[in-house]
Amino acid sequence: MSSSSTIAILTVAGGRGVRAGDGLPKQYRSLLGKSVLARTLEAMHRAAPQARLIVAIHADDAELYRGGVAELSDSARARLLEPAIGGATRQQSVRNGLEALAALSPAPEIVLIQDAARPFADPALVATAIEAARAHGAAVPGLPLADTVKQIDAEGVVIATPDRASLRFVQTPQSFAFPLILEAHRKVASGGGELTDDGMVAEAAGHKVHVFPGDAANFKLTTPEDFLRAQNALLGDLSDIRTGQGYDVHAFGEGDKVWLGGVPVPHSHGLAGHSDADVLAHAITDALLGALADGDIGKHFPPSDQQWRGAPSSIFLAFAAKRVRERGGIISHVDATIVCEAPKIGPHRDAIRESLAKIMEVDIGRVAVKATTSERLGFTGRQEGMAALALATVRLPSF
């Protein structure tokens, strides 16, 4: 990492997100297979690849944070500093993050402060924020109001109708000359009341704050409806829908279990093969690679290569799933069928689905596993081996 970076991006991820409904804090929830935090960090990195990245996290979220960071591209992870531990309020969390940046040598000249729950900041908005900080010292993105605003009293009676032309909805990233916002946070830290954004902190410290045009697409994920809107927005960018098919067979050999989707299933025989002969994982791997037009399992893991002898087939399947993500895509659905007379698959079906979902890093609801016999016909009917067929549907960016 270059120590000469003059820009830092502080992402605030210490909140609990209670309005988003039950479950994990919203910044760690999955959004089409990737956490909200990872999407936000990746968006900020793409917009300002030279910037150093730091995240202020809740003290209880270290494990969740590590999981989110693991989803980042190598280039984004290379720009990431150790997380700052947040405080009891957003204001305290931001200050802790700023103090961590102040300890760097050299400290940044410009800092952007971003909500973890805003994964749609685009490069144009970030570039404008950086230039606004250079020009004004303190700047925030804002959107004009479309509706009339009423100010009411405790009884709900209107007491004023502000001129909406002079009002703005404020977003992040908010951008500042680093020494200005650091000193502002230090100055107001002992004051009463909670300042809900960093523009307010700068104002309270006596600085003028410039408002530059925001972006309506840069909305914050607050409610379950926001997550649905975000999912639809992401799906709209993944309009190249492809289907791949996979087929694999393995003969029975010595052993006391067969591997299916990464799960050991007890049986009177094992399956013979160069790797662990996981016929189901092999079929799904080929289906994913087929959807990408990226060869087959033999191309990437040739049986002539001794390093794959006895290897768990989860390696092959995880590789294929990662290839989808590297193309900017998602695995929409996998439908697989196992063909055998024995062992019985039903008692193990859910464990197999759960294992496959974990390997591919998708929700279990996107994985279907079925089993059938061949009515004692053919090699499977004679119990000489097993076969598996798979269909995989992936969605890729259309550009």
Side-chain angles (χ1 to χ4, degrees):
M1 180 182 299
S2 171
S3 62
S4 62
S5 299
T6 61
I7 299 170
I9 300 174
L10 167 58
T11 298
V12 189
R16 301 294 84 189
V18 294
R19 285 179 290 174
D22 295 336
L24 295 174
K26 63 185 178 183
Q27 61 270 31
Y28 299 111
R29 295 186 190 183
S30 177
L31 188 58
L32 287 192
K34 182 179 287 189
S35 69
V36 172
L37 176 62
R39 288 190 178 278
T40 298
L41 291 174
E42 204 70 65
M44 300 304 288
H45 172 63
R46 285 196 302 269
Q50 79 280 20
R52 288 175 284 188
L53 306 175
I54 187 170
V55 184
I57 67 172
H58 193 281
D60 296 337
D61 290 349
E63 185 175 349
L64 290 171
Y65 173 75
R66 284 192 294 270
V69 167
E71 300 172 343
L72 294 176
S73 63
D74 292 342
S75 60
R77 201 158 45 244
R79 305 300 296 174
L80 190 63
L81 302 170
E82 287 296 312
I85 302 303
T89 65
R90 183 188 188 281
Q91 183 180 333
Q92 292 170 2
S93 295
V94 172
R95 182 183 172 187
N96 291 353
L98 294 173
E99 295 289 359
L101 290 172
L104 299 177
S105 181
E109 297 173 7
I110 299 293
V111 62
L112 275 59
I113 303 175
Q114 169 72 340
D115 292 331
R118 288 189 190 268
F120 295 112
D122 69 8
L125 180 67
V126 172
T128 301
I130 292 170
E131 291 308 311
R134 289 192 174 120
H136 303 283
V140 300
L143 293 173
L145 280 64
D147 299 317
T148 298
V149 176
K150 299 290 186 182
Q151 183 181 354
I152 61 174
D153 62 16
E155 283 72 42
V157 176
V158 173
I159 57 175
T161 303
D163 179 8
R164 69 184 182 190
S166 64
L167 300 176
R168 294 293 183 270
F169 289 118
V170 173
Q171 303 178 311
T172 66
Q174 300 185 357
S175 56
F176 306 91
F178 181 73
L180 180 154
I181 195 62
L182 175 63
E183 290 306 315
H185 266 276
R186 288 172 173 173
K187 182 176 180 179
V188 305
S190 59
E194 167 68 359
L195 304 179
T196 57
D197 81 337
D198 301 288
M200 291 179 67
V201 172
E203 293 170 51
H207 298 286
K208 293 182 178 181
V209 178
H210 175 75
V211 178
F212 60 91
D215 180 1
N218 178 38
F219 64 95
K220 186 177 182 180
L221 304 184
T222 302
T223 66
E225 291 74 20
D226 293 328
F227 274 80
L228 181 59
R229 177 185 173 189
Q231 178 175 293
N232 290 337
L234 290 170
L235 286 174
D237 294 332
L238 300 176
S239 58
D240 186 358
I241 302 173
R242 302 183 179 192
T243 300
Q245 64 174 350
Y247 174 73
D248 194 45
V249 299
H250 281 281
F252 283 126
E254 294 184 357
D256 59 1
K257 61 181 175 294
V258 295
W259 287 93
L260 295 173
V263 174
V265 176
H267 189 47
S268 58
H269 296 79
L271 287 171
H274 185 68
S275 62
D276 63 2
D278 188 329
V279 66
L280 179 60
H282 292 181
I284 298 173
T285 299
D286 268 352
L288 291 173
L289 293 173
L292 296 176
D294 193 14
D296 58 19
I297 195 170
K299 170 189 171 183
H300 298 283
F301 305 96
S304 58
D305 190 336
Q306 292 305 303
Q307 70 173 309
W308 308 122
R309 180 172 294 280
S313 297
S314 57
I315 294 174
F316 312 150
L317 182 55
F319 169 85
K322 185 178 179 182
R323 299 284 273 202
V324 175
R325 293 192 295 274
E326 289 173 343
R327 294 272 291 272
I330 63 168
I331 299 170
S332 182
H333 186 241
V334 168
D335 183 15
T337 301
I338 303 167
V339 184
C340 64
E341 300 294 325
K344 295 295 184 184
I345 304 302
H348 308 281
R349 187 193 318 274
D350 289 342
I352 293 171
R353 292 177 63 225
E354 184 176 353
S355 174
L356 289 169
K358 184 176 180 180
I359 294 168
M360 294 186 288
E361 298 184 23
V362 300
D363 185 85
I364 192 172
R366 298 187 180 277
V367 181
V369 173
K370 307 185 298 295
T372 187
T373 71
S374 53
E375 301 294 339
R376 301 193 179 278
L377 300 175
F379 77 94
T380 55
R382 294 190 297 271
Q383 300 192 49
E384 296 172 0
M386 299 177 70
L389 306 91
L391 292 174
T393 302
V394 305
R395 299 182 67 130
L396 301 176
S398 55
F399 49 85

